[in-house]
């Protein structure tokens, strides 16, 4: 379950991560009152579960309460990448000296977590990784050990972050583990001109499998506004709609995120994030392909699987069965590696579906998918 920004910030504050004062409303008139209570000058931010709000005009600075009301009226009702804006958050502005990026994500394929950090915050991390991969540090985190003070300082050194961000990293790890999250992200994490470290924006994805022990989640429940995300959620899939043309399916959040980076590096844009988890049965593959292929923006699908607990031949068998159920009309590029990869490739080869192409490496698969998406 993806949280809205104001919900993520609430969790950050509960775990001692500094965030500016803010309130949420669905009323322009109420926005005027909130702005007055926050000091007059505020940032008005659309509350939608997608990126690119700033470029779409969903994040604006209002100089006074009257301007806050006008700005809220302008933003409410907007459509941002298919997400209608029903609420806005008004937050106190801060004077920014530097912007950073920090996150933890579950890497199912590797059986651990991954810390991702960069001194180039404020933009989409995929763009930074594509343009300057050396600017993004990726540090494995053993879930049994967690992020201790020593581990936090290791992340700080690897990414070149200010030493004071180490405390934020340990607290962000607490958010991940205590709230049963699959992803926690702060972008940007800023250093103000007064030297404070503050989280200006946040993204949190909660693990639906932990709902039974998280009674407070009822406060965060929100319906999916994107029909594809709603369809995926109904099938129990971890899916996020993006604005590209290459559909991406993988097993493990870390692997899928890396695949998004590689696709972007090949000059194409990912159309979605879809993590099918550790098991890739015929039903899961069929459901995943059905959701991705129903996106009219998708021109090609890239399936990137590293066989671990689930062997690649079982994954390939699932893909073959799904092909008969879904009946794709768009190219499908498959890269299998790891446990029983050779058998898996043979299964797909024997099926010889005219729309299915195989690639030996993730880079080769991404290049092929980008080329097919460009010519389809």
């Amino acid at each position: 379950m993806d949280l809205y920004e104001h919900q993520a910030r609430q969790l950050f504050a509960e775990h001692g991560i500094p965030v500016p004062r803010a309130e949420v409303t669905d009323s322009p008139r109420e926005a005027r009152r909130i702005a007055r209570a926050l000091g007059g000058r505020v940032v008005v931010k659309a509350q939608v579960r997608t990126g690119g709000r700033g470029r779409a005009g969903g994040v604006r600075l209002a100089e006074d309460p009257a301007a806050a009301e006008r700005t809220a009226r302008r933003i409410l009702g907007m459509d941002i990448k298919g997400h209608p804006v029903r609420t806005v958050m008004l937050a106190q502005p801060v004077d920014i000296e530097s912007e950073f990026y920090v996150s933890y994500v579950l890497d199912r394929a590797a059986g651990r977590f991954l810390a991702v950090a960069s001194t180039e915050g404020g933009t989409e991390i995929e763009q930074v990784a594509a343009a300057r991969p050396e600017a993004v540090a990726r540090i494995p985190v053993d879930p049994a050990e967690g992020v201790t003070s020593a581990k936090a300082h290791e992340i700080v050194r690897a990414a070149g972050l200010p030493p004071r961000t180490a405390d934020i990293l340990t607290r962000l790890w607490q958010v991940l583990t205590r709230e049963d999250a699959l992803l926690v992200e702060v972008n940007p994490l800023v250093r103000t001109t007064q030297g404070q470290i503050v989280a200006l924006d946040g993204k949190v994805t909660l693990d639906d499998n932990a709902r039974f022990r998280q009674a407070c989640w009822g406060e965060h429940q929100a319906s999916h506004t994107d029909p594809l995300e709603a369809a995926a959620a109904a099938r129990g899939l971890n899916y996020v709609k993006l604005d590209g043309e290459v559909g991406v399916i993988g097993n493990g959040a870390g692997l899928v995120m890396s695949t998004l980076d590689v696709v972007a590096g090949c000059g194409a844009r990912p159309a979605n994030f879809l993590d099918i988890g550790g098991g890739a049965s015929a039903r899961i593959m069929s459901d995943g392909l059905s959701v991705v292929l129903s996106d009219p923006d998708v021109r090609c699908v890239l399936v990137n699987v590293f066989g671990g607990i689930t062997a690649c031949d079982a994954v390939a068998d699932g893909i073959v069965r799904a092909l008969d159920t879904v009946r794709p009309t768009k190219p499908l590029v498959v890269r299998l590696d790891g446990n029983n990869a050779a058998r898996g490739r043979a299964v797909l080869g024997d099926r010889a579906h005219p729309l299915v192409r195989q690639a030996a490496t993730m880079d080769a698969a991404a290049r092929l998918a980008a080329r097919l998406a460009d010519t389809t």
Side-chain angles (χ1 to χ4, degrees):
M1 178 171 61
D2 293 327
L3 300 187
Y4 288 101
E5 176 194 2
H6 68 273
Q7 296 169 327
R9 287 162 52 106
Q10 177 184 337
L11 289 183
F12 293 166
E14 291 173 357
H15 289 273
I17 298 173
V19 295
R21 288 179 57 204
E23 290 189 43
V24 179
T25 183
D26 60 0
S27 165
R29 180 174 296 182
E30 181 69 6
R32 178 190 285 257
R33 183 201 65 77
I34 293 172
R36 188 180 298 114
L38 293 177
R41 189 168 181 260
V42 294
V43 179
V44 185
K45 308 179 75 174
Q47 294 300 282
V48 288
R49 287 172 292 183
T50 187
R53 292 176 299 170
R55 290 192 297 273
V59 179
R60 297 177 181 270
L61 179 66
E63 294 292 343
D64 54 52
E69 180 177 349
R70 292 193 301 271
T71 303
R73 182 171 288 108
R74 184 180 303 119
I75 293 176
L76 286 167
M78 288 178 60
D79 184 280
I80 300 178
K81 297 182 180 178
H83 297 256
V85 180
R86 295 189 171 91
T87 59
V88 293
M89 183 180 72
L90 290 85
Q92 287 182 321
V94 300
D95 296 322
I96 300 173
E97 178 182 282
S98 305
E99 296 184 330
F100 316 110
Y101 174 96
V102 294
S103 71
Y104 295 117
V105 63
L106 176 62
D107 185 350
R108 286 193 179 95
R112 62 191 179 192
F113 288 92
L114 189 67
V116 183
S118 174
T119 56
E120 299 188 20
T123 59
E124 295 184 14
I125 196 65
E126 293 85 359
Q127 297 177 357
V128 177
R132 301 183 59 244
E134 72 280 0
V136 181
R138 298 175 175 85
I139 300 90
V141 178
D142 185 338
E145 297 179 5
V147 177
T148 61
S149 177
K151 189 67 176 183
H153 281 90
E154 177 188 341
I155 298 169
V156 164
R157 289 191 297 271
L161 301 175
R164 291 184 60 187
T165 59
D167 179 63
I168 300 296
L169 288 169
T170 56
R171 293 179 185 274
L172 197 65
W173 178 258
Q174 293 174 4
V175 175
L176 180 85
T177 55
R178 295 179 183 176
E179 304 296 336
D180 282 312
L182 299 172
L183 166 72
V184 292
E185 175 186 275
V186 183
N187 188 27
L189 178 70
V190 305
R191 178 170 55 196
T192 69
T193 54
Q194 291 78 33
Q196 297 174 309
I197 304 296
V198 179
L200 288 196
D201 198 350
K203 179 178 180 181
V204 174
T205 299
L206 302 176
D207 185 355
D208 286 332
N209 294 317
R211 185 180 297 277
F212 71 95
R213 63 184 178 196
Q214 294 286 357
C216 65
W217 279 13
E219 302 172 8
H220 301 310
Q221 184 63 51
S223 60
H224 291 273
T225 55
D226 183 90
L228 289 172
E229 291 184 355
R235 293 172 167 86
L237 298 172
N238 186 13
Y239 172 93
V240 179
K241 176 74 172 75
L242 303 175
D243 58 354
E245 61 281 339
V246 177
V248 176
I249 302 175
N251 63 328
L255 179 62
V256 178
M257 289 186 68
S258 298
T259 306
L260 300 183
D261 290 344
V262 176
V263 168
C266 293
R269 297 177 305 163
N272 66 271
F273 172 106
L274 176 52
D275 174 14
I276 58 175
S281 66
R283 182 189 63 79
I284 292 174
M285 286 304 307
S286 178
D287 288 346
L289 284 172
S290 177
V291 170
V292 173
L293 288 169
S294 64
D295 183 350
D297 296 329
V298 168
R299 301 176 185 170
C300 178
V301 180
L302 170 56
V303 178
N304 187 19
V305 171
F306 185 88
I309 297 175
T310 300
C312 285
D313 54 343
V315 174
D317 183 61
I319 294 174
V320 167
R321 295 185 186 184
L323 291 173
D324 294 330
T325 303
V326 178
R327 301 186 184 278
T329 58
K330 301 168 185 177
L332 183 68
V333 178
V334 181
R335 175 257 184 172
L336 299 176
D337 198 2
N339 186 14
N340 285 351
R343 293 181 186 176
R345 298 186 195 112
V347 169
L348 292 178
D350 291 342
R351 177 62 173 80
H353 193 285
L355 288 176
V356 177
R357 306 275 293 274
Q358 295 195 61
T361 67
M362 180 165 63
D363 288 343
R367 287 194 298 269
L368 177 56
R371 186 170 74 251
L372 291 172
D374 186 52
T375 57
T376 300

